[in-house]
Amino acid sequence: MSHKLKYSGQVDTMSDEQTDKALRFINKCRYCILGTINTEDGVHLSILTTLEKQELKELWYITRTSTQKVVDIRNNPRCEVLYTDNDNQITLNGTAEIVTEPILKKMLSNVWVKKYIPEGPESDEMSLIKFIPEKIDAVIV
């Protein structure tokens, strides 16, 4: 069985072709799983909606400010993101930060915000997660 992409290593050393294949898979996934570290319970997993047109060096997500993942990221920015389907997976390790910049919130606001944060992007209840991946493990068949 040949793989379209099998790669394990640093994100910044990937070839353009490897990056392109990884991005095509990420951008086709509707959801991903974010793993943060919770000081009380250990690893905390959350489902996030994938925003359109992501870039591998900087991934963005929308969340409610009052969630456990926001608390976890503020306490420890190290986290992991998993994209998967029936046959393929990409795991990214890196750091995240919570962004509340109003212009960015409005720019990245989408249908998910209208459904789950009816107060809209102007609300303090909407935050962005900016994830900077450092390491990647990818198998895309």
Side-chain angles (χ1 to χ4, degrees), residues 69-130:
K69 63 184 150 282
V70 171
V71 172
D72 293 346
I73 290 168
R74 286 184 172 145
N75 287 330
N76 183 346
R78 299 290 311 160
C79 52
E80 199 166 289
V81 175
L82 169 67
Y83 291 91
T84 188
D85 65 14
N86 291 337
D87 300 311
N88 310 286
Q89 75 174 37
I90 291 179
T91 304
L92 299 157
N93 295 293
T95 57
E97 69 177 278
I98 303 303
V99 177
T100 57
E101 166 59 42
I103 293 171
L104 281 174
K105 286 171 41 173
K106 191 165 189 166
M107 251 177 43
L108 295 175
S109 184
N110 61 14
V111 174
W112 185 92
V113 171
K114 290 177 185 168
K115 185 174 181 179
Y116 294 102
I117 308 174
E119 307 90 344
E122 296 82 16
S123 167
D124 289 341
E125 189 50 33
M126 180 184 162
S127 288
L128 301 171
I129 298 172
K130 176 183 171 183

Side-chain angles (χ1 to χ4, degrees), residues 4-137:
K4 290 183 184 174
L5 174 62
K6 185 173 185 179
Y7 180 85
S8 183
Q10 297 297 115
V11 170
D12 60 3
T13 60
M14 293 175 72
S15 71
D16 290 343
E17 181 182 359
Q18 291 168 326
T19 299
D20 183 57
K21 288 177 183 178
L23 271 176
R24 274 189 277 148
F25 177 69
I26 286 170
N27 284 314
K28 126 180 145 169
C29 291
R30 186 166 179 197
Y31 301 103
C32 66
I33 298 171
L34 171 71
T36 57
I37 300 169
N38 180 307
T39 55
E40 295 173 15
D41 302 320
V43 176
H44 178 255
L45 300 177
S46 305
I47 295 175
L48 294 172
T49 301
T50 301
L51 295 178
E52 294 179 10
K53 300 179 183 172
Q54 292 279 23
E55 293 297 327
L56 196 54
K57 297 205 185 287
E58 187 177 281
L59 299 163
W60 289 86
Y61 310 96
I62 297 170
T63 190
R64 294 187 71 85
T65 305
S66 59
T67 61
Q68 183 63 48
K69 63 184 150 282
V70 171
V71 172
D72 293 346
I73 290 168
R74 286 184 172 145
N75 287 330
N76 183 346
R78 299 290 311 160
C79 52
E80 199 166 289
V81 175
L82 169 67
Y83 291 91
T84 188
D85 65 14
N86 291 337
D87 300 311
N88 310 286
Q89 75 174 37
I90 291 179
T91 304
L92 299 157
N93 295 293
T95 57
E97 69 177 278
I98 303 303
V99 177
T100 57
E101 166 59 42
I103 293 171
L104 281 174
K105 286 171 41 173
K106 191 165 189 166
M107 251 177 43
L108 295 175
S109 184
N110 61 14
V111 174
W112 185 92
V113 171
K114 290 177 185 168
K115 185 174 181 179
Y116 294 102
I117 308 174
E119 307 90 344
E122 296 82 16
S123 167
D124 289 341
E125 189 50 33
M126 180 184 162
S127 288
L128 301 171
I129 298 172
K130 176 183 171 183
F131 178 72
I132 307 295
E134 296 162 9
K135 293 169 86 176
I136 183 171
D137 288 304

